[in-house]
Amino acid sequence: MPSKHNPLHYLRQHNCHQPVYFSGVTPDYNSNSLGTFERYINGYKRWLTDTADAMDKLIQKNKKTNKKVASFSTDAAEYFHRIPASILSSKWFKEEHLKHYKSTDFKLHLTACLNEALVNWEKNTAEALRLKSGESSTPDLGLPVGLSCSAFLGNVVLDSFDKVIGKEIKPAYYGRYVDDITLVMEWHEELTDPQQVWQWIRKRTDRITTAKSDATHSPTGNSDVLFRVYPSELNPSNQDSDSDALYVTFKSNKTRLLVA
């Protein structure tokens, strides 16, 4: 018989016909509700709508001057799989997000437990995949897709990208939903195709570089665009300064440019 303290049992007994979902209107957290975390598709639809509204607003604004408007959209390649499962124990994460906590703080203990859970998940899942496939090795799995903390960590990783775009690029509108990104800005002659847009952005920050795509993934020979999450600055005198760096990869051939 299920315990009366089990949240699912509580739902069955009290909320089976009228479940209480987190509305986003109030900051209240309902630990007994399966709807505490918003569905991905709802936020994604808002991201699409906000982008369309921003572009329409800029088009209306530029009617008198006949200036064209550009919408630039992209998404990170294999985003969650390329974030290390051990990111919570990385030097960068500790320095950026944990240095203000005392060693006895519960948040540090919780972070350590979560880090161990993520690392063990990757290790055990990789072993299961090896046994199933019969192969001697498997690619890094990174963070588990669909886990609430993965979405949170995904936002943490790209927070520095948000700041670079806002400070250095200054688009009329910038929207990001997890790893889906859109910029809306006035068009000019340097924005002729997606690769040219990336080159234009590269001129404004040294944290974006390019690397030749794997031919199996990009038969056209397009370059991957790499954003360096950490360190924020590389030390040229230290040959190992890039060894622990974390990059987010964007595919040029999956980047879209719309001009209106």
Side-chain angles (χ1 to χ4, degrees):
M1 182 176 181
S3 168
K4 64 180 181 179
H5 299 296
N6 186 313
L8 294 180
H9 178 64
Y10 179 88
L11 278 175
R12 284 194 295 269
Q13 293 296 314
H14 300 279
N15 294 322
C16 56
H17 299 297
Q18 294 181 331
V20 180
Y21 292 105
F22 176 63
S23 65
V25 177
T26 65
D28 298 332
Y29 180 91
N30 178 13
S31 60
N32 293 316
S33 175
L34 298 179
T36 295
F37 296 101
E38 186 179 30
R39 294 174 63 207
Y40 176 90
I41 190 64
N42 294 340
Y44 184 77
K45 286 180 178 178
R46 278 200 305 273
W47 172 75
L48 291 174
T49 300
D50 290 346
T51 299
D53 290 345
M55 194 167 186
D56 183 63
K57 183 178 180 180
L58 191 56
I59 290 173
Q60 296 301 320
K61 179 183 176 182
N62 290 351
K63 267 190 173 181
K64 293 183 179 179
T65 58
N66 290 322
K67 290 183 179 179
K68 294 182 179 180
V69 174
S71 173
F72 176 74
S73 60
T74 188
D75 66 324
E78 301 175 351
Y79 184 52
F80 290 106
H81 299 301
R82 297 192 182 191
I83 299 177
S86 59
I87 190 171
L88 288 171
S89 62
S90 67
K91 180 181 178 181
W92 165 76
F93 190 87
K94 290 178 179 179
E95 291 180 349
E96 287 288 321
H97 304 286
L98 301 178
K99 64 181 180 181
H100 300 299
Y101 295 117
K102 297 179 180 179
S103 59
T104 55
D105 197 300
F106 172 73
K107 294 183 180 66
L108 293 183
H109 176 67
L110 180 62
T111 301
C113 290
L114 182 56
N115 179 72
E116 184 177 358
L118 292 172
V119 170
N120 285 334
W121 170 85
E122 182 182 44
K123 177 183 177 181
N124 294 333
T125 304
E127 178 62 23
L129 290 174
R130 281 193 293 271
L131 291 174
K132 183 177 180 179
S133 65
E135 298 180 359
S136 58
S137 63
T138 57
D140 293 335
L141 299 176
L143 297 177
V145 177
L147 192 65
S148 298
C149 75
S150 295
F152 170 77
L153 290 173
N155 275 326
V156 169
V157 167
L158 277 176
D159 179 65
S160 55
F161 183 83
D162 299 340
K163 292 175 180 176
V164 167
I165 294 297
K167 181 180 179 180
E168 306 297 340
I169 309 305
K170 299 181 177 66
Y173 170 81
Y174 170 69
R176 179 174 65 81
Y177 190 66
V178 190
D179 62 328
D180 293 299
I181 294 164
T182 295
L183 286 77
V184 175
M185 63 192 106
E186 290 186 352
W187 180 88
H188 52 79
E189 61 277 2
E190 290 186 75
L191 309 180
T192 56
D193 58 57
Q195 288 198 14
Q196 292 298 321
V197 177
W198 278 121
Q199 289 184 22
W200 180 76
I201 293 174
R202 279 184 60 200
K203 294 177 183 178
R204 288 152 179 78
T205 174
D206 62 358
R207 296 180 69 171
I208 291 181
T209 57
T210 58
K212 208 66 174 178
S213 300
D214 185 335
T216 59
H217 293 94
S218 181
T220 60
N222 287 329
S223 296
D224 288 344
V225 178
L226 308 178
F227 173 77
R228 190 178 68 253
V229 177
Y230 65 83
S232 58
E233 295 182 1
L234 294 177
N235 184 357
S237 63
N238 184 358
Q239 295 182 353
D240 296 327
S241 63
D242 197 32
S243 60
D244 295 325
L246 174 63
Y247 289 88
V248 174
T249 303
F250 300 96
K251 296 287 187 181
S252 290
N253 61 344
K254 289 189 177 181
T255 301
R256 300 290 178 263
L257 176 64
L258 175 64
V259 179

